[in-house]
C-alpha cells in the first residue's frame, strides 16, 4: 500500500510496522468482502446464496443537469463513469428499489477491480457516542486490536477511499441532526476521497 510510505515520511508509522498494518487492512477487506458475497433470501432461508447469482444489474439515472444524454449508468461492475467522474453521489429512490443492493455490489466491485478502499457504513449505526471515525475503527480493527486515531485520520487524508453511506432515511430522528452535521464535517475534511449516500427521498438531503 503506497500510502503507508507517506505515513512513514510523516513519522506516523515505522517501516517495520508496514507489513502488520497491511495485513490488518487485508483481513478487513477479506472479512467484509466475504460478508457481502453471501445473501440471505426469503426463498431459501437456511441456505447460503451467492450475491452474484441473484444480482440483476441495476441502472442509475443521472439528474439531467449532470447528464444531457440521459442514458444512465449500469451497475454491473465498478462503473468508471460514476466514480471518480462524480466524486460525491446521492442515490435516491423509494423503498425496495435496490439502493442497498447497489451499495453491496459497489463494495464487491471496488475490491475485485482494486480501484480503491471501500468503507460501507450503515448510517443508522451512527450516534453521539459512535461517530464516523469510531465506526471505521470498529470495522478495520481486528478483535483485541485498535488502530490509533492519528493513523486512521492520516490514511484517510491521503485519499483513495470510497465511502458508501447507506440508509440516510433510516437514521433515527433523535440522531438525525448529529449525523447530518457529522457527514458534512467528514466529507469536507476528507475531500480527497469519494462519497456515496443512499436514501429514500428526504428534504434534508438538499443540504448535500
Amino acid at each position: 500500500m503506497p500510502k503507508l510510505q507517506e505515513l512513514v515520511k510523516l513519522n506516523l508509522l515505522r517501516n517495520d510496522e508496514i507489513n502488520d498494518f497491511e495485513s490488518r487492512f487485508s483481513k478487513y477487506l477479506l472479512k467484509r468482502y466475504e460478508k457481502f458475497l453471501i445473501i440471505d433470501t426469503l426463498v431459501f432461508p437456511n441456505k447460503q446464496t451467492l450475491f452474484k447469482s441473484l444480482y440483476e444489474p441495476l441502472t442509475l439515472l443521472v439528474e439531467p443537469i449532470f447528464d444531457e444524454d440521459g442514458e444512465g449508468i449500469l451497475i454491473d461492475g465498478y462503473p468508471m463513469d460514476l466514480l471518480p467522474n462524480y466524486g460525491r453521489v446521492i442515490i435516491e429512490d423509494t423503498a425496495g428499489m435496490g439502493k442497498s443492493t447497489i451499495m453491496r455490489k459497489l463494495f464487491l466491485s471496488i475490491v475485485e477491480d482494486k480501484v480503491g478502499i471501500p468503507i460501507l457504513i450503515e448510517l443508522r449505526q451512527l450516534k453521539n457516542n459512535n461517530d464516523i471515525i469510531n465506526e471505521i475503527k470498529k470495522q478495520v480493527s481486528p478483535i483485541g486490536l485498535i488502530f490509533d486515531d492519528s493513523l486512521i485520520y492520516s490514511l484517510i487524508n491521503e485519499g483513495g477511499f470510497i465511502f458508501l453511506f447507506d440508509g440516510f432515511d433510516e437514521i433515527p430522528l433523535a440522531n438525525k441532526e448529529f449525523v447530518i452535521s457529522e457527514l458534512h464535517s467528514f466529507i469536507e475534511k476528507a475531500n480527497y476521497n469519494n462519497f456515496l449516500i443512499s436514501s429514500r427521498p428526504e428534504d434534508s438531503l438538499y443540504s448535500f
Side-chain angles (χ1 to χ4, degrees), residues 1 4 20-33 107 117-121 130-153 155-156 161-163 186:
M1 190 183 291
L4 295 182
D20 179 54
F21 200 90
E22 285 183 331
S23 174
R24 294 190 199 180
F25 240 95
S26 296
K27 288 177 181 177
Y28 152 74
L29 288 174
L30 179 61
K31 180 176 67 176
R32 296 289 280 178
Y33 181 84
F107 187 100
I117 302 172
I119 303 284
L120 194 155
I121 293 176
N130 188 44
D131 60 14
I132 292 174
I133 290 295
N134 194 58
E135 184 64 24
I136 293 170
K137 283 169 60 179
K138 287 197 299 187
Q139 288 192 27
V140 303
S141 299
I143 294 175
L145 294 170
I146 300 295
F147 282 125
D148 183 78
D149 279 16
S150 61
L151 280 179
I152 296 292
Y153 282 121
L155 196 57
I156 290 172
F161 285 84
I162 300 174
F163 292 97
F186 182 79

Side-chain angles (χ1 to χ4, degrees), residues 25-183:
F25 240 95
S26 296
K27 288 177 181 177
Y28 152 74
L29 288 174
L30 179 61
K31 180 176 67 176
R32 296 289 280 178
Y33 181 84
E34 290 177 342
K35 173 182 171 62
F36 295 133
L37 202 59
I38 303 297
I39 189 169
D40 296 322
T41 66
L42 294 174
V43 180
F44 305 109
N46 298 315
K47 179 182 177 182
Q48 289 189 327
T49 306
L50 283 177
F51 176 83
K52 293 179 180 181
S53 67
L54 296 178
Y55 179 75
E56 287 291 329
L58 300 167
T59 298
L60 296 178
L61 299 180
V62 183
E63 287 286 349
I65 189 173
F66 299 114
D67 181 20
E68 295 180 357
D69 298 330
E71 295 180 356
I73 299 172
L74 183 68
I75 310 298
D76 60 350
Y78 181 76
M80 295 302 295
D81 46 352
L82 178 65
L83 295 174
N85 194 26
Y86 304 101
R88 303 178 183 185
V89 175
I90 294 175
I91 300 175
E92 183 185 59
D93 210 332
T94 51
M97 296 303 289
K99 299 181 295 296
S100 292
T101 301
I102 283 179
M103 291 298 215
R104 182 191 290 245
K105 177 62 177 176
L106 287 173
F107 187 100
L108 293 172
S109 298
I110 291 165
V111 174
E112 290 166 354
D113 294 347
K114 300 178 181 178
V115 291
I117 302 172
I119 303 284
L120 194 155
I121 293 176
E122 295 179 357
L123 289 174
R124 67 174 181 267
Q125 303 295 335
L126 301 182
K127 58 190 75 173
N128 283 303
N129 61 353
N130 188 44
D131 60 14
I132 292 174
I133 290 295
N134 194 58
E135 184 64 24
I136 293 170
K137 283 169 60 179
K138 287 197 299 187
Q139 288 192 27
V140 303
S141 299
I143 294 175
L145 294 170
I146 300 295
F147 282 125
D148 183 78
D149 279 16
S150 61
L151 280 179
I152 296 292
Y153 282 121
S154 299
L155 196 57
I156 290 172
N157 285 335
E158 289 297 318
F161 285 84
I162 300 174
F163 292 97
L164 309 170
F165 295 114
D166 192 26
F168 182 86
D169 56 289
E170 297 176 12
I171 303 168
L173 186 59
N175 301 328
K176 200 87 170 181
E177 184 177 348
F178 168 79
V179 175
I180 290 174
S181 175
E182 174 75 1
L183 279 170

